[in-house]
Amino acid sequence: MGEVKLFRTWSSPFALRVVWALKLKGVEYETIYEDLANKSSSLLEYNPVHKKVPVLLHNGIPICESLVILEYIDETWNEGVRFLPKDPLARATARFWAKFNDEQVFPSFFRYFMRQGEDQEKAKEKVLENLKFVEEHLKGKKFFDGEVFGFLDLVFGWLVCYPGVINKAINLKLLDEQMFPNLCTWMEQFGDVPVIKETWPDEEALIHKFHKMREGLGIYIYTKLRYEAS
Amino acid sequence: CVCVCYILDSNIYIKLFTFLSILLTFKYIIKMKDEIILLDCWASSYGMSVKIALAEKGVEYECREENFQDKSPLLLQSNHIHKTIPVLVHNGKPICESLIIVRYIDEVWHDKSPLLPSDPHQKSQALFWADYIDKKVAKKELIEVLRNLERELGDKPYFGGENVGFVDVALVPFTSWFYTYETRGHFSIEAECPKLMSWAKRCISERKSIAKTLPHPHKIYEYALDLLRK
């Protein structure tokens, strides 16, 4: 079905959903890791508008924006497992929740992670409010799309890994089993899917990265130098 | 009719009459089945995209004007997360988010005036640009965004090629706000993006669905001034 390349970073949850989609469809592809501080000329050529990853290159033609890429993969490799449901109403509902994740849930979680003190408390209220909607939406379902996992599970999949790792890194717990029983059950079940389990970024590397992001590069370098000197 | 058939006293006429009655009843039931309500605000560009899509498909619907200070129970129930318009309620089922609604309309009434191309790659391009418009056009970097869109349009009559497509439907409602942006911002979109302005005029002069949906720019300007005064 042609040559497939994926431009990504090793830690981006948006790139990870594309990796899952390609692996679940059994598509062979080449990975090109990008350093966002030093973007390749290829990335700038293939995504001149946003200059971001992930970018999928199929037969030399780029597709940008992870949700657009997911739908493209679903339609192009359309034999076997399908991510989006067939019914137009079910598709519209899935797209609504995907947009809710990308524009509300994830950004609110990121803000919560990056803030301190009172600001962090306010940010926590917002992310909990968003997660409660998601919890409600999962009620009575094994996966977001029903008995079988699909598009929305790929979209929300970052929840299985990143909050847990952040908790290990900076002791910031969010997903309480009592408050979010449906989400926690879903996290276990989706997290058990082999393709998902096998593709998480290295936990130690993620913890290291989250420390860097939170504490600022200056403090990190000072700590590292002190450690190396002793 | 029955009397005439009776006088003629021939089985075939009664059969024909019965058949036509059944056919008309069926058509009436099918038409009755489709209840389409659009919850909207006349000045909303997002609402206008939905109206244009419905007009392109020749779909009849009831439009209900919402008042932000006093939202209807139907709106609060249909979009309990965001409580915003537009919302399409199709046979009692709500669909939210402007471009998600447009895609839904395109999929349900797929036999007329397709808005998205069927080729997955071309579709992904249209989805990318509509997403760009959704995220960027309402913001401060308007001229930069319009320049990007001017480049994307090139020498095509419409973003969709020879016919109006998904990207045209996503962007054209914002043109009724151009006069407001220009007057408040003291710049000329015509001078910066002449092809885009030609396209905007072409949309209104050549597409009834757009001409009858877009309010006059001066009306929008008065509305904006009104909002600023409150």
Side-chain angles (χ1 to χ4, degrees), chain B residues 28-76:
Chain B
Y28 181 69
I29 290 170
I30 288 167
K31 214 180 169 179
M32 278 286 287
K33 251 189 164 183
D34 246 358
E35 184 203 48
I36 300 159
I37 301 170
L38 175 64
L39 305 177
D40 187 35
C41 165
W42 72 272
S44 161
S45 305
Y46 299 107
M48 286 176 221
S49 289
V50 176
K51 285 178 177 160
I52 293 167
L54 287 165
E56 283 287 319
K57 303 285 186 176
V59 175
E60 285 176 16
Y61 64 98
E62 179 197 340
C63 188
R64 293 190 193 167
E65 188 72 13
E66 286 286 336
N67 175 358
F68 293 135
Q69 268 83 48
D70 184 20
K71 295 176 183 180
S72 72
L74 183 59
L75 176 60
L76 297 174

Side-chain angles (χ1 to χ4, degrees), chain A residues 103-172:
Chain A
E103 293 183 5
Q104 305 288 336
V105 183
F106 185 84
S108 66
F109 175 78
F110 189 77
R111 275 191 287 274
Y112 170 55
F113 162 65
M114 288 299 283
R115 298 220 176 127
Q116 295 189 64
E118 216 182 282
D119 278 344
Q120 192 177 60
E121 279 309 305
K122 280 196 189 134
K124 185 178 183 180
E125 274 172 37
K126 188 66 196 172
V127 74
L128 286 177
E129 186 189 307
N130 287 334
L131 286 174
K132 280 187 186 132
F133 285 126
V134 181
E135 170 77 10
E136 181 63 32
H137 184 61
L138 259 178
K139 205 165 158 180
K141 293 189 273 196
K142 188 175 175 189
F143 296 105
F144 278 96
D145 290 333
E147 280 303 303
V148 179
F149 66 81
F151 181 75
L152 268 188
D153 302 277
L154 300 181
V155 170
F156 281 103
W158 66 276
L159 282 168
V160 178
C161 167
Y162 290 77
V165 176
I166 280 174
N167 188 25
K168 285 183 186 172
I170 58 170
N171 203 26
L172 203 70

Side-chain angles (χ1 to χ4, degrees), chain A residues 47 49-50 61-65 68 71-72 75-76 84 86-89 91-93 95-97 99-100 103-104 133 136, chain B residues 79-82 93-97 100 103-104 107-108 118-121 123-125 127-129 131-132 134-136 148:
Chain A
N47 193 355
V49 173
H50 298 305
I61 302 168
I63 302 105
C64 310
E65 293 297 310
V68 177
E71 289 209 37
Y72 176 83
E75 279 190 42
T76 306
L84 271 172
K86 280 192 184 149
D87 170 58
L89 182 65
R91 291 158 77 86
T93 307
R95 287 172 186 142
F96 172 87
W97 284 97
K99 190 172 173 166
F100 183 65
E103 293 183 5
Q104 305 288 336
F133 285 126
E136 181 63 32
Chain B
N79 192 354
H80 69 281
I81 294 181
H82 303 302
K93 305 274 190 224
I95 303 101
C96 309
E97 298 290 340
I100 292 176
R103 288 193 74 182
Y104 174 81
E107 286 175 10
V108 171
S118 49
D119 167 64
H121 176 251
K123 185 186 286 193
S124 72
Q125 294 294 93
L127 292 174
F128 172 86
W129 283 105
D131 174 71
Y132 176 74
D134 201 37
K135 287 180 175 136
K136 301 278 191 181
N148 277 335

Side-chain angles (χ1 to χ4, degrees), chain A:
Chain A
M1 264 281 226
E3 188 195 46
V4 181
K5 290 185 185 179
L6 175 63
F7 290 79
R8 61 175 286 206
T9 58
W10 66 272
S11 59
S12 160
F14 297 98
L16 211 50
R17 50 171 73 149
V18 177
V19 168
W20 293 335
L22 289 166
K23 285 189 184 283
L24 287 165
K25 294 278 190 178
V27 177
E28 295 206 359
Y29 65 100
E30 184 195 335
T31 300
I32 292 129
Y33 288 104
E34 284 285 331
D35 172 6
L36 296 182
N38 188 18
K39 295 173 187 178
S40 70
S41 54
S42 299
L43 178 63
L44 298 176
E45 183 199 331
Y46 295 135
N47 193 355
V49 173
H50 298 305
K51 306 175 178 55
K52 283 195 213 171
V53 289
V55 175
L56 190 78
L57 200 69
H58 184 205
N59 291 329
I61 302 168
I63 302 105
C64 310
E65 293 297 310
S66 65
L67 294 181
V68 177
I69 299 173
L70 284 185
E71 289 209 37
Y72 176 83
I73 291 171
D74 200 27
E75 279 190 42
T76 306
W77 290 276
N78 54 22
E79 285 160 19
V81 63
R82 291 304 298 259
F83 302 139
L84 271 172
K86 280 192 184 149
D87 170 58
L89 182 65
R91 291 158 77 86
T93 307
R95 287 172 186 142
F96 172 87
W97 284 97
K99 190 172 173 166
F100 183 65
N101 176 71
D102 282 15
E103 293 183 5
Q104 305 288 336
V105 183
F106 185 84
S108 66
F109 175 78
F110 189 77
R111 275 191 287 274
Y112 170 55
F113 162 65
M114 288 299 283
R115 298 220 176 127
Q116 295 189 64
E118 216 182 282
D119 278 344
Q120 192 177 60
E121 279 309 305
K122 280 196 189 134
K124 185 178 183 180
E125 274 172 37
K126 188 66 196 172
V127 74
L128 286 177
E129 186 189 307
N130 287 334
L131 286 174
K132 280 187 186 132
F133 285 126
V134 181
E135 170 77 10
E136 181 63 32
H137 184 61
L138 259 178
K139 205 165 158 180
K141 293 189 273 196
K142 188 175 175 189
F143 296 105
F144 278 96
D145 290 333
E147 280 303 303
V148 179
F149 66 81
F151 181 75
L152 268 188
D153 302 277
L154 300 181
V155 170
F156 281 103
W158 66 276
L159 282 168
V160 178
C161 167
Y162 290 77
V165 176
I166 280 174
N167 188 25
K168 285 183 186 172
I170 58 170
N171 203 26
L172 203 70
K173 183 148 184 184
L174 196 66
L175 286 155
D176 184 81
E177 284 88 6
Q178 279 190 329
M179 222 193 283
F180 300 106
N182 300 335
L183 259 172
C184 290
T185 309
W186 168 80
M187 278 159 62
E188 264 190 56
Q189 283 169 340
F190 189 61
D192 243 353
V193 172
V195 162
I196 313 304
K197 225 179 351 190
E198 288 153 15
T199 46
W200 293 125
D202 178 68
E203 193 176 274
E204 284 307 311
L206 264 184
I207 289 174
H208 185 77
K209 182 186 167 83
F210 293 147
H211 275 304
K212 241 167 80 174
M213 284 167 76
R214 272 279 296 188
E215 293 161 16
L217 199 51
I219 297 168
Y220 163 74
I221 289 173
Y222 173 75
T223 315
K224 190 173 187 292
L225 288 173
R226 276 207 63 186
Y227 175 73
E228 280 171 3
S230 64

